[in-house]
Amino acid sequence: MQQYLLSIYQPDGNPPPPEILEPIMRDVEAVKAELREAGAWVFSGGLHPPSTATVLRLKDDEVLTTDGPYAEGKEHLGGFAVIQAPDLDAALAWGRKLARAVTLPIEVRPLDYVSPG
């Protein structure tokens, strides 16, 4: 079965207040439970803010270190889930459920290669 990365794009800035965020997180947990029940859930995680990122880039024969995210923008990768699905249509269906729950854009992308352990 193919694995897919569901990337959650989050706007920069402070998170919404608890009265908005708590119902969203309940909905996200419900989708996660549904993924587990269906045998589609592999793993997921949230990320610290973009200010904690470090980018390593090869230039000539040296690896340069830069603080902060690689791309400048008004959104950043806030979290992700890796799922397994029989095909892209099934993965997109899960992505739609997650987008409705989290109320943020979701990118669905098949994994090209999964390292065995």
Side-chain angles (χ1 to χ4, degrees):
M1 196 171 297
Q2 177 70 48
Q3 291 186 345
Y4 294 86
L5 175 67
L6 307 182
S7 301
I8 302 167
Y9 290 106
Q10 181 174 323
D12 289 340
N14 294 326
E19 63 271 12
I20 293 174
L21 188 57
E22 287 172 7
I24 289 171
M25 294 313 296
R26 279 194 302 273
D27 290 346
V28 169
E29 286 303 316
V31 171
K32 207 156 66 166
E34 190 178 347
L35 280 161
R36 282 189 176 116
E37 289 171 18
W41 186 82
V42 176
F43 71 95
S44 64
L47 300 173
H48 286 278
S51 60
T52 65
T54 303
V55 177
L56 304 173
R57 182 179 298 118
L58 181 65
K59 183 171 182 177
D60 300 320
D61 283 332
E62 206 172 322
V63 178
L64 305 177
T65 303
T66 307
D67 291 337
Y70 174 73
E72 296 291 326
K74 296 181 186 198
E75 293 182 327
H76 61 274
L77 183 61
F80 65 91
V82 175
I83 65 166
Q84 54 188 14
D87 55 37
L88 179 59
D89 289 337
L92 290 172
W94 285 115
R96 284 185 198 94
K97 286 184 182 202
L98 185 57
R100 288 183 197 284
V102 78
T103 69
L104 293 171
I106 304 296
E107 177 185 316
V108 177
R109 188 184 302 190
L111 294 180
D112 188 30
Y113 173 74
V114 178
S115 175

